[in-house]
Amino acid sequence: MIERIGVIDIGTNTIKCCIADIDAGAFLVDQELSRTTRLGEALRHSGIISPLAFARNLDAIRELHALCLDASCSRVLYVGTMGLRTATNAAEFIHAVYRETKCHIRVLSGIEEAEYSCLGTLSTFPEQVGNTLMFDLGGGSSEFIFTTDGTISRSFSIDIGILRVRDEYCKTDPISKADYERMYSILYNTLKQYIVSTPDRQVIGIGGTVCALGSVEQQLPVFDADLVHGTILSFAALERQIELYRSQDNTARKQVPGMPLERSDVILAGATIVNVILELCGVPRFTISTRGVRHGILQEYCNGLL
């Protein structure tokens, strides 16, 4: 019997919703929805979900939950990540969501977030041979998963995300040369503690801003996850995008063909993080995945573990 469920992933930058049909131990995605709600706006400095972010995210959850019910989902599973791991008023937000939906948010640890990203991605890249690094670039943190022949050998989470990096280093628009060089240097010196050069390693990037890089590379008039998934972006093409974004203000970035409008103000921070990862790995390209935590949750549900 086919069962339809929804998964809502409350991230620091974006809320993502996936509605899927479960049948015979497998899932088939029916709808993918996202709302850029910036739960972690100014979180690093204030330590709390601001009143505006609180209300904005609760409104989006009401909308997405209603869409899940309208789509005849028998269950809606909620997970939260970095923003809800660190905000001092996270419990208040979780309770507010429960009042609205009667659903509890499961707040994932950094390791759980990494492993679900891996599980969701491997479901569409099943033939993994040799060494692979998957990174999931989020708003407040980034998760790294190292695999050998499809089996996780190491995974961890670092408090480096696109919102945090943008807020810390992108002080002017366009960014100044000095601020960009400082951002790159600090990211490089931080990430080199975790990543060593392995030129034969396959690298897979996950996350909305990573997917935006693929959309721009293809100059898509409307974002299309099916077209972006599996896109191979070279180091040289990534550097061309970075040089473009460094020279533009946010208004100009919004006009770049293929640019999702909600990503224009964080695209430079995200692209720079990816650039550092590729340089440290010593690889000339990476593959983009539109899958992530929500698909890992679906896979675990199919496996009877939720």
Side-chain angles (χ1 to χ4, degrees):
M1 180 179 176
I2 297 175
E3 179 185 12
R4 175 164 288 191
I5 70 167
V7 177
I8 295 179
D9 173 9
I10 304 169
T12 307
N13 187 59
T14 308
I15 298 177
K16 296 177 180 177
C17 174
C18 184
I19 297 171
D21 293 325
I22 311 296
D23 185 28
F27 68 87
L28 179 64
V29 173
D30 179 71
Q31 295 183 58
E32 291 268 22
L33 306 159
S34 69
R35 301 291 182 266
T36 301
T37 50
R38 304 280 162 91
L39 182 77
E41 192 172 66
L43 175 61
R44 183 172 186 176
H45 299 293
S46 68
I48 65 168
I49 302 167
S50 72
L52 285 176
F54 196 114
R56 188 168 60 237
N57 279 266
L58 199 56
D59 285 345
I61 286 169
R62 288 191 193 100
E63 177 201 1
L64 293 171
H65 191 85
L67 288 171
C68 287
L69 297 183
D70 289 345
S72 301
C73 291
S74 60
R75 292 186 66 182
V76 183
L77 305 175
Y78 280 83
V79 294
T81 55
M82 182 65 184
L84 294 180
R85 286 198 294 268
T86 58
T88 57
N89 60 341
E92 181 184 347
F93 181 82
I94 290 168
H95 185 62
V97 171
Y98 183 80
R99 284 200 310 267
E100 294 287 339
T101 66
K102 298 299 182 286
C103 293
H104 178 70
I105 300 171
R106 176 186 170 193
V107 179
L108 303 177
S109 69
I111 296 298
E112 287 175 322
E113 186 178 354
E115 291 176 349
Y116 277 122
S117 291
C118 177
L119 184 60
T121 298
L122 286 180
S123 67
T124 55
F125 294 108
E127 301 300 324
Q128 290 297 311
V129 178
N131 297 316
T132 300
L133 165 61
M134 285 175 252
F135 65 90
D136 188 347
L137 188 57
S141 66
S142 294
E143 284 63 52
F144 295 82
I145 311 99
F146 294 83
T147 68
T148 301
D149 297 336
T151 300
I152 296 176
S153 56
R154 183 164 65 111
S155 62
F156 54 87
S157 178
I158 306 175
D159 292 349
I160 291 176
I162 55 170
L163 279 182
R164 287 188 167 211
V165 171
R166 183 205 64 179
D167 292 347
E168 187 71 24
Y169 304 109
C170 300
K171 303 294 188 183
T172 59
D173 190 26
I175 192 170
S176 69
K177 183 175 184 291
D179 281 347
Y180 181 80
E181 289 176 350
R182 178 170 170 262
M183 174 173 68
Y184 189 93
S185 175
I186 291 175
L187 288 172
Y188 187 92
N189 288 326
T190 300
L191 289 172
K192 75 177 183 180
Q193 302 172 57
Y194 303 93
I195 301 171
V196 297
S197 178
T198 311
D200 63 344
R201 175 180 286 147
Q202 181 181 4
V203 178
I204 299 173
I206 307 163
T209 300
V210 172
C211 292
L213 297 172
S215 181
V216 170
E217 176 68 10
Q218 298 186 53
Q219 299 188 2
L220 298 178
V222 178
F223 182 82
D224 187 320
D226 290 335
L227 291 176
V228 170
H229 186 70
T231 296
I232 296 174
L233 191 64
S234 70
F235 186 81
L238 176 63
E239 288 203 312
R240 285 194 294 271
Q241 286 199 39
I242 289 172
E243 288 306 309
L244 177 64
Y245 305 143
R246 286 183 63 182
S247 69
Q248 295 176 317
D249 63 14
N250 192 42
T251 300
R253 287 193 296 273
K254 287 180 184 292
Q255 305 305 314
V256 173
M259 177 68 71
L261 297 183
E262 70 277 7
R263 297 285 170 180
S264 63
D265 64 332
V266 294
I267 193 75
L268 177 59
T272 303
I273 297 170
V274 177
N275 184 268
V276 170
I277 292 169
L278 296 187
E279 184 166 342
L280 288 169
C281 286
V283 298
R285 66 187 66 84
F286 76 105
T287 303
I288 295 172
S289 171
T290 58
R291 297 298 182 103
V293 167
R294 59 205 182 281
H295 304 95
I297 295 290
L298 284 168
Q299 188 60 56
E300 190 158 272
Y301 189 87
C302 290
N303 296 342
L305 299 175
L306 291 178

